[in-house]
Structures are given as C-alpha cells and as structure tokens.
Amino acid sequence: QVQLVESGGGLVQAGDSLRLSCAASGRTSSSYFVGWFRQAPGKEREFVAAISWTGRPTNYADSVKDRFTISRDNAENTVYLQMNSLKPEDTAIYYCAATFVGSTLFREYDYDYWGQGTQVTVSS
C-alpha cells in the first residue's frame, strides 16, 4: 500500500503561483504512477495531471496545460504540482492519487490510493 499526504495549498490571488506537494510512504520502492485531481464546490472531481514513475510521460487536462507542471523526486518520494497563472476557476480541493498499474491515468478509478486533499483558493 501507499499512503499519500498533500500539502502546499492556500489562499492566493489570480495570477499568483503555488506548488503542491504529495508525499508518499509505504510501498514506495515499487514503481507507481501519480495523478492530481481536483474537486470544486458542487462539482465532480476532475483530472488535472499525471506522471509516470520515470517522470515521462506526463499528461494534463486542457484547462491547466501550459500553466501547471507535474514533476517528481523519487529519492524524496514526492510528487509536485507547480501551478502558475492561477485563476479563480482553479479553486478546489486538490488530491493526489497513486497506482501501480499504468493505464490511462486520467480517470478516478485508475487509482487505488488517495490523499486527503489540500485546499486551493484563488481570489479575483
């Protein structure tokens, strides 16, 4: 199993940047894929970005492409989501998720392990 803890959320203004972290523990010696999802109030959880064990390939939702960057440091068992040019519509709880099976990686049910989430609020 893998345990995930997100951090780095907060309240920022439109145009600002934030970097979220997802720290993994447990079965981290095995290759695992990580995705970021988000859920805004009253909306379903949606895919944001995903990364393979090696760091390539990466995948992004169209809404965040060219603004967000996913990366990982396997020595630190941490995956990052660098978020630039934040918009009010990026406001959501952000979750990281992990799986040992690399499939499409953009669906919730592709993942077996989830963190508790970190709140990101972007004011206009």
Side-chain angles (χ1 to χ4, degrees):
Q1 290 193 351
V2 175
Q3 293 78 44
L4 304 170
V5 178
E6 303 94 335
S7 62
L11 172 63
V12 297
Q13 294 186 332
D16 285 351
S17 298
L18 273 178
R19 189 177 77 159
L20 305 184
S21 298
C22 173
S25 60
R27 189 184 155 190
T28 56
S29 60
S30 300
S31 303
Y32 59 96
F33 302 80
V34 175
W36 283 97
F37 289 76
R38 66 186 182 186
Q39 187 167 21
K43 295 187 177 181
E44 294 186 351
R45 191 153 52 183
E46 64 176 3
F47 170 76
V48 175
I51 190 167
S52 69
W53 168 253
T54 62
R56 289 289 185 273
T58 56
N59 295 283
Y60 297 93
D62 289 342
S63 59
V64 306
K65 201 170 293 183
D66 299 326
R67 297 188 299 124
F68 290 12
T69 302
I70 189 171
S71 62
R72 68 189 297 164
D73 182 342
N74 289 338
E76 297 294 328
N77 296 317
T78 301
V79 173
Y80 303 99
L81 184 68
Q82 177 67 43
M83 306 187 296
N84 298 330
S85 303
L86 283 161
K87 305 175 181 180
E89 51 263 44
D90 294 319
T91 295
I93 299 174
Y94 283 70
Y95 301 89
C96 65
T99 178
F100 294 103
V101 180
S103 56
T104 56
L105 298 179
F106 61 84
R107 303 169 300 188
E108 285 190 66
Y109 56 83
D110 289 327
Y111 296 87
D112 303 301
Y113 308 101
W114 291 82
Q116 293 301 305
T118 185
Q119 176 71 49
V120 172
T121 303
V122 184
S123 64
S124 57

